[in-house]
Amino acid sequence: MKSKALFLFCAFIFTAMLSRAQVAYGPKDTIRVATTNYNGEIIPWVVIGEVTVIDKRTFKSKEDFDNYRRLRYNVLKVLPYARFAGQRYRQLERDLALTNDKRKQKELIKSCDKEIKDLFNDKIKNLTISQGEILIKLIDRETNNSSFDLVKDLKGNVPAFLMQSVAKIFGHDLKTKYDVDQDMEIEGIIHSVGYYSYQ
């Protein structure tokens, strides 16, 4: 019995030494990093990306938790629309900067307007009032312009006034601006899904 245990122990040691002897280091096994001399000691350092530490959120009541869940749902529902609007607006700005021809600029604006309407017309019509308010804020966040200013710049004063009037009937204000401090709940939700912004 003792000899069997001794044999197994020796076999284990031999196998461990054999596996260790098979480790070979090649030229690609070395990672070069920057170093700093700190009080005579060489310390390697590596630059890493920004890390955001978020504490687990607690709520005072079930009602607060339900309100937060509803807000999160609404933000995540309209965020893709705002992101697309921001990307399309930046593309339109680049296209308009390449031409001085007024007719060509009108065609570009009309094409952009049609593309956005075709893509989102049915979906945006079905948004709730609170989702519409969040969308207006997020468009301002993405483009750094209120929805009213975007319509005014692209279509003129009269269409902007008419759209603002219609929005007011439904309880919206196209001049609403996004304020990070005031809308920090929305900002926190956006950051929690890993999206920051183009700006």
Side-chain angles (χ1 to χ4, degrees):
M1 187 74 172
K2 287 183 181 181
S3 62
K4 190 175 183 181
L6 182 63
F7 174 75
L8 288 174
F9 178 74
C10 290
F12 175 76
I13 297 290
F14 179 75
T15 307
M17 288 174 51
L18 186 63
S19 65
R20 187 175 177 100
Q22 291 177 351
V23 174
Y25 295 103
K28 294 185 179 179
D29 292 334
T30 304
I31 299 172
R32 295 177 185 256
V33 296
T35 59
T36 300
N37 188 343
Y38 181 74
N39 294 334
E41 186 177 345
I42 305 294
I43 300 174
W45 58 273
V46 178
V47 178
I48 60 172
E50 180 181 332
V51 176
T52 305
V53 178
I54 301 172
D55 193 13
K56 187 174 190 283
R57 178 136 185 205
T58 56
F59 297 93
K60 292 180 182 177
S61 65
K62 183 174 179 348
E63 183 182 348
D64 287 346
F65 176 65
D66 290 342
N67 289 339
Y68 175 79
R69 281 185 43 221
R70 192 174 306 111
L71 178 66
R72 181 178 170 82
Y73 172 80
N74 290 338
V75 168
L76 296 181
K77 182 167 184 171
V78 300
L79 183 61
Y81 304 137
R83 289 180 68 180
F84 178 80
Q87 290 168 355
R88 192 61 185 95
Y89 179 71
R90 288 186 291 277
Q91 178 64 46
L92 179 62
E93 280 184 324
R94 287 190 293 271
D95 293 344
L96 291 175
L98 294 175
T99 181
N100 290 329
D101 183 16
K102 295 289 184 192
R103 192 166 152 213
K104 178 73 174 167
Q105 288 178 342
K106 283 185 180 181
E107 287 174 10
L108 289 170
I109 292 169
K110 191 173 181 181
S111 168
C112 176
D113 187 43
K114 183 179 182 326
E115 182 181 342
I116 290 173
K117 279 182 181 175
D118 290 346
L119 201 58
F120 296 128
N121 210 10
D122 294 336
K123 295 175 184 173
I124 289 180
K125 281 182 183 176
N126 294 328
L127 294 180
T128 64
I129 291 175
S130 55
Q131 289 169 349
E133 289 171 358
I134 293 168
L135 179 60
I136 290 169
K137 288 181 179 184
L138 292 182
I139 286 174
D140 179 61
R141 181 183 188 271
E142 282 293 311
T143 63
N144 215 15
N145 287 314
S146 70
S147 298
F148 181 81
D149 292 335
L150 291 175
V151 174
K152 188 169 117 181
D153 290 344
L154 299 176
K155 293 193 163 200
N157 290 331
V158 174
F161 174 75
L162 292 173
M163 289 185 92
Q164 173 72 345
S165 301
V166 171
K168 287 279 191 184
I169 292 171
F170 292 102
H172 299 301
D173 183 6
L174 297 181
K175 295 180 182 178
T176 303
K177 300 292 280 179
Y178 184 81
D179 180 13
V180 177
D181 296 328
Q182 184 180 354
D183 299 313
M184 68 182 168
E185 290 270 340
I186 295 173
E187 191 71 15
I189 292 167
I190 293 170
H191 284 252
S192 73
V193 295
Y195 179 70
Y196 295 92
S197 94
Y198 175 79
Q199 301 297 336

